[in-house]
Amino acid sequence: MSVASLRLAARESVAGLPRAFWWLWTSTLINRLGAFVATFMALYLTLDRGYSASYAGLVASLHGLGGVVSSIGAGIMTDRLGRRPTLVIAQTSTAFAVALLGFMTDPVAIAGVAFLVGMASNASRPAVQAMMADIVKPEDRVRAFSLNYWAINLGFAVSSMTAGFIAQYSYLAGFLGEATLTLVCAVVVFLKLPESRPERTAEEKVRQPETGIGTVLRDGRFMGVVGLSFLISLIFQQGYVGLPVAMGTDGFSAADFGLAIAVNGVLIVAVQIPVTRYTQHRDPRKLLIVSALLAGYGFGLTAFAGSVAVYALTICVWTLAEIVNAPTQTGLVVRLSPVHGRGRYQGVYTMSWSVAALVAPLMSGYVIDHFGAGWLWGACAVLGTVAAVGYWALMRGLTPELPEPTRTKAPSPTTPATRPAAPSTTPLAIPSPATPSASPLAVPSAATPQVTPSSALCGESRTGSGV
């Protein structure tokens, strides 16, 4: 590819996005530049404090439990209180909780504050996802979510390398550094981001009741995606809970792990945007199945790693899975989320990652302590296979369909603006790869709003990310 082609692709990737998006993008980058706790907590507890892998897994699980507890509440806050206030509250709370965690020495106190950090940091995710869907035009959401995911991983790559060396001298400095940058992130949101929550008209309020959590839980298709997201998340979590412990057990240092895991962020920064440009109009069924298999067997190959270079090669394999899965799955989730219920839908989806963050450390700590790391990597291969079969079963009835026209005026009384309590049973439809639609899926139901898709995880963002 020529330099001119690269410049054109770069311009097309960033042009036309609103100013508010770039401030949200900036806050995401700042937040991820300070990432420390989620990445190095296991090493901090086992190498610096001398606790067992099981205790490290317990603390990481309590961190995940905090996210489970806050997911639904944060989704409701996002819809009721607003996106901007939810972000400011969550990020400010995260900053203070992370700083406090750095000073804890008692094992019970460490576990308790880790739970609070998990609650606070996870509360940002539904608000970020909903705000990005609000402020970006439907046809630009794929690019916007990919760029945000790119910022997450740019920050992650930088922070992994620098924090790994900081940890050699002072873990406390890492905690305080993350707290400071998270607080800066909250200031950026407060000063630069306007509220984006769509307001319901009086007619809409009378015609359709507010989307409740029960509505989300009864949406079988959406909950199926949530369940598969849990399996995929359970695999990816091992990169931050199982992998550092396994490398530490094999005699590698915190700096070694930092260099190896930084490959994940660097690779995503290098190829996320071009890969998304290539895959955004392709069959999501195949993309999700392939990504699940790459994730499972990428971690499975870790059983044969004996050097930092080989660990890095296995990380490359499951990173490719992440690059493909993140935009495809998140596009599906946002597609299934009604406009006035985005916060709640994103809260339930975020909970799948939080539950995985709760289960994964217990799983990795127990398996490593009692059976060895090889069994953990074999289990990841099995989970990847199960997830691939699940995606095939969930989406095998989908049929191609032309893209839906964009709604340009308020809905008529016969077209409600929010998802009804009983989700439509009309099958999803996938546009043909030849069509120029920015949507991987469509929901062709007369009773379902024409919610336009978005893409790329911010949730998803990475484990422990406040943004």
Side-chain angles (χ1 to χ4, degrees):
M1 181 179 288
S2 66
V3 174
S5 298
L6 290 174
R7 289 177 178 174
L8 178 61
R11 282 198 300 270
E12 291 176 347
S13 296
V14 302
L17 296 171
R19 184 182 184 87
F21 164 78
W22 289 111
W23 282 116
L24 186 59
W25 184 91
T26 300
S27 72
T28 298
L29 179 61
I30 293 171
N31 181 272
R32 291 311 300 162
L33 285 171
F36 183 86
V37 171
T39 305
F40 287 92
M41 176 61 78
L43 289 175
Y44 168 66
L45 294 175
T46 55
L47 298 184
D48 188 70
R49 292 292 181 181
Y51 295 114
S52 68
S54 295
Y55 174 76
L58 174 63
V59 172
S61 292
L62 287 173
H63 182 277
L65 179 61
V68 174
V69 171
S70 67
S71 294
I72 302 299
I76 295 173
M77 284 178 61
T78 297
D79 283 339
R80 290 188 176 179
L81 186 62
R83 283 63 158 140
R84 180 170 173 263
T86 301
L87 279 173
V88 172
I89 293 171
Q91 291 164 358
T92 303
S93 301
T94 301
F96 284 104
V98 167
L100 180 62
L101 182 60
F103 291 98
M104 295 296 100
T105 57
D106 180 78
V108 176
I110 290 173
V113 177
F115 173 79
L116 296 178
V117 172
M119 283 189 65
S121 62
N122 197 71
S124 294
R125 297 178 183 177
V128 169
Q129 294 275 45
M131 177 175 276
M132 199 162 297
D134 295 339
I135 64 180
V136 177
K137 294 186 295 185
E139 60 270 25
D140 292 331
R141 285 183 186 148
V142 169
R143 289 192 297 123
F145 276 79
S146 294
L147 285 167
N148 192 69
Y149 193 50
W150 185 84
I152 290 170
N153 288 280
L154 176 62
F156 176 74
V158 174
S159 68
S160 294
M161 290 184 287
T162 57
F165 289 103
I166 291 173
Q168 297 270 56
Y169 303 98
S170 173
Y171 278 92
L172 177 60
F175 285 108
L176 295 179
E178 176 169 348
T180 300
L181 288 177
T182 304
L183 194 59
V184 170
C185 185
V187 172
V188 169
V189 170
F190 179 76
L191 294 178
K192 296 298 184 178
L193 281 174
E195 178 54 56
S196 66
R197 179 183 57 178
E199 295 294 335
R200 301 176 70 199
T201 65
E203 182 182 356
E204 288 174 333
K205 291 178 181 179
V206 172
R207 186 172 62 245
Q208 282 290 334
E210 187 175 355
T211 301
I213 291 298
T215 305
V216 182
L217 298 178
R218 289 191 297 268
D219 191 334
R221 183 181 298 126
F222 176 79
M223 293 306 297
V225 173
V226 170
L228 293 174
S229 170
F230 166 75
L231 293 181
I232 292 295
S233 304
L234 197 59
I235 299 171
F236 285 133
Q237 289 283 342
Q238 300 308 323
Y240 315 103
V241 292
L243 184 60
V245 173
M247 289 186 69
T249 302
D250 288 342
F252 295 99
S253 68
D256 291 330
F257 170 68
L259 287 173
I261 199 65
V263 171
N264 173 260
V266 170
L267 187 59
I268 293 176
V269 168
V271 304
Q272 175 68 58
I273 293 175
V275 168
T276 299
R277 288 167 60 88
Y278 176 77
T279 62
Q280 63 182 338
H281 303 311
R282 298 186 180 275
D283 188 345
R285 293 170 293 192
K286 296 179 181 178
L287 295 177
L288 290 171
I289 291 170
V290 169
S291 67
L293 293 174
L294 283 175
Y297 289 96
F299 275 98
L301 290 173
T302 309
F304 304 100
S307 66
V308 174
V310 178
Y311 275 113
L313 287 175
T314 64
I315 289 171
C316 287
V317 177
W318 57 260
T319 296
L320 290 176
E322 188 178 354
I323 289 170
V324 174
N325 182 272
T328 308
Q329 182 165 262
T330 306
L332 174 59
V333 168
V334 177
R335 180 67 182 176
L336 297 177
S337 305
V339 172
H340 298 293
R342 280 175 179 157
R344 288 172 174 83
Y345 269 71
Q346 292 295 341
V348 173
Y349 173 64
T350 298
M351 189 173 65
S352 68
W353 286 82
S354 300
V355 174
L358 170 64
V359 174
L362 295 175
M363 168 184 164
S364 62
Y366 181 84
V367 173
I368 290 174
D369 281 346
H370 292 82
F371 303 102
W375 283 88
L376 177 64
W377 310 131
C380 288
V382 173
L383 289 175
T385 304
V386 172
V389 173
Y391 281 125
W392 173 81
L394 179 68
M395 305 175 71
R396 61 179 176 173
L398 303 180
T399 54
E401 185 186 64
L402 292 175
E404 298 178 351
T406 303
R407 189 175 68 192
T408 57
K409 62 181 180 179
S412 66
T414 59
T415 308
T418 56
R419 183 180 294 273
S424 170
T425 57
T426 307
L428 289 172
I430 299 176
S432 168
T435 64
S437 170
S439 167
L441 298 171
V443 184
S445 171
T448 306
Q450 294 184 7
V451 182
T452 313
S454 72
S455 180
L457 166 81
C458 165
E460 298 10 299
S461 66
R462 281 185 186 279
T463 304
S465 169
V467 173

